[in-house]
Amino acid sequence: MDEALLRSLTPGVLAVLVRRGADFAAAEDAVQDALVEAVRGWPGDQPRDPKGWLVTVAWRKFLDARRADTARRRREDLVDQEPAPGPAPAADDTLRLYFLCAHPSLTPSSAVALTLRAVGGLTTRQIAQAYLVPEATMAQRISRAKRTVSGVRFDRPGDVATVLRVLYLVFNEGYSGDVDLAAEAIRLTRQLAAVIDHPEVAGLLALMLLHHARRAARTAPDGSLVPLAEQDRTRWDTRAIAEGVDILQAALVRDRLGEFQAQAAIAALHADARCAEETDWVQIVEWYDELARLTDSPVVRLNRAVAVGEADGPRAGLAALAPLDAALPRRTAVAAYLHERDGDLTTAARLYAEAAHQAPNLAERDYLTRQAARLNARR
């Protein structure tokens, strides 16, 4: 069973059902039921038109559910509306569906969570990690969002800022998580940039391109994680870097700075350095100061502590790290790195081992475990 194919078809199928008048919660349930049927039946007999098959089956599932809750006359009317089997439209409705999920009846955070779950294909656990909240809390938030939009007609699209937040989180999960969604996020952001002249849309596209340009160098042949300072920069995609820098510069001259432009500026400074030693950490700290002013995010302050440690020395970095919550993801790993830079190998080894237990994915856990073992072997 080609699970990647099913994931890629789901947004379009869901969009078709919503366009035909299904409320979002019922449409999502119907699509999930159709996917179950596909998993059961396709391994032995995959249809020639997978999307058309899914649309037909999902619509039937939706009609069956509606019949159980409505009067006889309404049930008979809905039966007549059942679409005939055949090829489905080839139009890509994914970006439109992102906007529809960012419905004005939802708070921005709820809209993002719902879209990531229903359209982006992320699990509740992955979304909870992105928001730095417990999985149970995120599950409740998504359930409340579904109840809020249940029965709502999706004819009032949400705002650009919410859609950008969704695309950013989808890219982050694809870039550093368990599911490869980064290329899809870039594709959708390109579509958005083509129809909306907004500096933050350009900033997000630049940020994605600059990060994605390093993808080939992020892992060793055995699949292990390679940190930025140790990456083979000859493997970076110079064409993507050049495009990202050009897009960023055009956005920055408009003097409407936003968080995605600031993040892209930091990524551009890393890309501009021929080697790790030539990185302009002083400028990077200045951009992190701008970013902290725009977002007041603890993750931004964590990354700023790393940059301060590089620009002004590890003790300055540890001082910048000290006020941050000890439970902040990756804080322990940053502390381990700064203590190692400061020559305290015993503390660094202990913290690397602790960070390995807290790591959000296998690649990071393996890397941190190797760091702890390396320092323990030197003592």
Side-chain angles (χ1 to χ4, degrees), residues 276-298:
E277 292 73 22
E278 293 184 7
T279 304
D280 190 343
W281 288 107
V282 174
Q283 271 206 74
I284 289 175
V285 171
E286 292 174 355
W287 275 110
Y288 271 123
D289 288 338
E290 289 285 349
L291 191 54
R293 180 181 60 81
L294 290 166
T295 68
D296 196 30
S297 163

Side-chain angles (χ1 to χ4, degrees), residues 35-361:
L35 292 175
V36 170
E37 292 294 326
V39 170
R40 290 174 178 169
W42 285 14
D45 186 22
Q46 181 169 319
R48 285 179 296 178
D49 179 17
K51 182 178 178 182
W53 187 96
L54 286 171
V55 168
T56 300
V57 173
W59 185 250
R60 287 173 179 163
K61 297 289 185 182
F62 166 72
L63 294 182
D64 289 344
R66 180 62 64 86
R67 290 190 199 104
D69 299 324
T70 59
R72 180 181 180 81
R73 182 182 297 275
R74 183 59 179 156
R75 292 200 303 268
E76 292 174 352
D77 290 342
L78 289 174
V79 170
D80 293 336
Q81 295 173 20
E82 182 177 322
D92 183 356
D93 297 300
T94 308
L95 189 58
R96 178 175 179 271
L97 198 56
Y98 270 59
F99 271 95
L100 293 177
C101 287
H103 198 272
S105 64
L106 295 172
T107 63
S109 61
S110 295
V112 170
L114 179 63
T115 313
L116 289 171
R117 182 72 184 93
V119 188
L122 274 64
T123 65
T124 303
R125 175 183 61 80
Q126 290 168 329
I127 302 169
Q129 288 176 346
Y131 271 91
L132 308 180
V133 300
E135 184 175 348
T137 300
M138 183 53 64
Q140 292 174 356
R141 185 179 301 178
I142 294 172
S143 295
R144 284 196 300 270
K146 287 182 178 180
R147 288 195 298 270
T148 299
V149 300
S150 180
V152 170
R153 186 163 186 83
F154 281 75
D155 55 0
R156 296 167 58 206
D159 64 3
V160 175
T162 301
V163 174
L164 288 178
R165 178 62 51 187
V166 174
L167 290 169
Y168 174 67
L169 291 174
V170 169
F171 176 82
N172 275 351
E173 184 59 39
Y175 183 72
S176 61
D178 303 323
V179 184
D180 187 3
L181 297 168
E184 172 68 359
I186 292 174
R187 184 183 70 83
L188 293 173
T189 306
R190 282 192 187 279
Q191 288 186 6
L192 188 58
V195 297
I196 296 180
D197 183 21
H198 191 294
E200 273 294 82
V201 176
L204 179 58
L205 179 57
L207 174 63
M208 289 179 174
L209 289 170
L210 288 164
H211 277 306
H212 206 59
R214 305 198 298 254
R215 190 174 185 87
R218 289 186 67 246
T219 54
D222 63 359
S224 60
L225 188 66
V226 180
L228 177 60
E230 299 173 18
Q231 288 177 16
D232 178 359
R233 301 187 178 212
T234 64
R235 300 185 64 197
W236 289 1
D237 185 343
T238 55
R239 181 176 299 179
I241 290 173
E243 182 185 4
V245 169
D246 287 345
I247 292 171
L248 172 62
Q249 289 175 339
L252 289 176
V253 296
R254 300 176 65 175
D255 198 24
R256 291 169 55 192
L257 184 64
E259 63 173 294
F260 296 126
Q261 295 168 72
Q263 288 192 57
I266 293 168
L269 285 168
H270 283 296
D272 188 54
R274 291 176 298 178
C275 61
E277 292 73 22
E278 293 184 7
T279 304
D280 190 343
W281 288 107
V282 174
Q283 271 206 74
I284 289 175
V285 171
E286 292 174 355
W287 275 110
Y288 271 123
D289 288 338
E290 289 285 349
L291 191 54
R293 180 181 60 81
L294 290 166
T295 68
D296 196 30
S297 163
V299 175
V300 169
R301 296 190 181 279
L302 179 68
N303 292 331
R304 179 184 178 276
V306 176
V308 169
E310 298 290 351
D312 301 325
R315 294 193 180 182
L318 287 168
L321 184 68
L324 299 182
D325 187 346
L328 182 65
R330 297 188 174 92
R331 183 190 185 281
T332 306
V334 170
Y337 172 73
L338 291 172
H339 276 290
E340 180 185 357
R341 290 270 327 275
D342 195 38
D344 187 352
L345 302 188
T346 300
T347 300
R350 175 178 57 80
L351 290 173
Y352 275 131
E354 290 180 13
H357 288 292
Q358 302 165 2
N361 56 64

